[in-house]
Amino acid sequence: MKSLFLTILPVVSGAVVPRQNYFSFGNSFSTGAVAADSWIRQATTTLVLPALNSPHTGNLGLWPGMGTKFDSGADGQLVQGLAISTVGVGSPCNFAASDVKWCVVASTYDGNQHDGTPYRANPGDHVTYDYKYNDATSQFDQTVSVNGAKVSTLSTTSGHGAGWGTAMECQQAKCGTVPQHQYLNTTIIMNTPDPNYSRTLALNGASGNLVTADGGKTWTVADITIQQYTYT
């Protein structure tokens, strides 16, 4: 899919793609950047898909994204498994205008969008996004599962994880009202402990407690709640 979704996480910079008619972000839970001597080795979360936005207009994307950095210091890519609600064309699932499903897919943005196999999911489904650094290949391996079954994968040479957060992104036309929704059992594993990582937490119409039990090596959030949002 040609790029539709783009981050504003604080660890990503410089990427711009053309927009048509309308483009806006809604509520979010954001963390990063990591400490200079650490990076994110693995990030996992489960999105409980809400009902579709109402009215069902525009191209809406819900996604947990991880910005990356290369060892050279250059900005890397955006690892961003997607859940897309769109009217007609605009997602890799090629929905009909009357479709009432979500399109979920593993995806990475590097100036162009790279997608795994798309899957049609229903409101209420539990979509788990797992991003894990592979030492053997120096790539991030993405796995997207729906209700425990693997549905989409993608591996990309993206650098090291430098920050993680959620996004609610609307394009093309105002996306109406997006219902409140949750990300469950979020885990962020650092390469080396980053004991001050919780200080980077930014909440925008969202709630959730970022905690560690091992001095900053592993950070968890039991429940991220993203409040209802209306695009105006």
Side-chain angles (χ1 to χ4, degrees), residues 4 58-59 86-91 94-97 172:
L4 287 178
N59 288 340
T86 189
V87 177
V89 297
S91 84
N94 294 319
F95 284 137
Q172 307 304 324

Side-chain angles (χ1 to χ4, degrees), residues 68-103:
T68 63
K69 290 276 191 181
F70 289 109
D71 289 340
S72 65
D75 288 339
Q77 302 171 2
L78 173 62
V79 178
Q80 53 164 181
L82 300 170
I84 307 168
S85 167
T86 189
V87 177
V89 297
S91 84
C93 288
N94 294 319
F95 284 137
S98 60
D99 217 315
V100 292
K101 292 181 179 289
W102 290 89
C103 183

Side-chain angles (χ1 to χ4, degrees), residues 134-150:
N134 187 326
D135 289 297
T137 63
S138 299
Q139 294 185 324
F140 260 101
D141 295 336
Q142 281 188 67
T143 302
V144 179
S145 302
V146 176
N147 300 328
K150 185 188 301 184

Side-chain angles (χ1 to χ4, degrees), residues 7-25:
T7 188
I8 54 169
L9 294 177
V11 297
V12 178
S13 64
V16 177
V17 295
R19 306 293 177 179
Q20 296 181 2
N21 302 326
Y22 187 84
F23 168 61
S24 181
F25 281 93

Side-chain angles (χ1 to χ4, degrees), residues 9 24 63 83 107 116 132 140 145 153-154 167 178 195 199 201 203:
L9 294 177
S24 181
W63 46 268
S107 187
K132 186 175 183 179
F140 260 101
S145 302
T153 62
L154 185 68
V178 182
R199 297 180 183 177
L201 175 61
L203 301 174

